[in-house]
Amino acid sequence: FIHCGDITNYGRGLNPFEDFDQWLNEIPFRYKLIIAGNHEMTLNPSFQNGIFLKNQSIIIDDYLHIYGASWRPIGQSKWL
């Protein structure tokens, strides 16, 4: 499972990361990867039930390489 994008609305709420981590505990996936969105760029949440990728990569089953970053390159892009 890969969650890419905004976990919170700018980190607002009583316990946004704790609530999200509890939800991760309830979903039945072997790997639970979290990649921050632009609302979490400056935050460093820790998760007990998932792996938070912030400018780092992971290799799944010696095959799948995933790099997680909460930013995108600046410049001309057809994806803007």
Side-chain angles (χ1 to χ4, degrees), residues 5 8 18 27-28 37 43 48-49 51 57 62 72 77-78 80:
T8 70
E18 291 85 357
I27 59 175
L43 302 175
Q48 298 297 315
N49 300 299
I51 301 167
S57 63
D62 295 321
R72 65 169 178 80
S77 173
K78 64 183 180 178
L80 296 178

Side-chain angles (χ1 to χ4, degrees), residues 30-45:
R30 182 174 171 195
Y31 296 99
K32 301 167 192 177
L33 307 178
I34 301 102
I35 301 170
N38 62 320
H39 294 172
E40 290 89 31
M41 285 180 64
T42 60
L43 302 175
N44 276 321

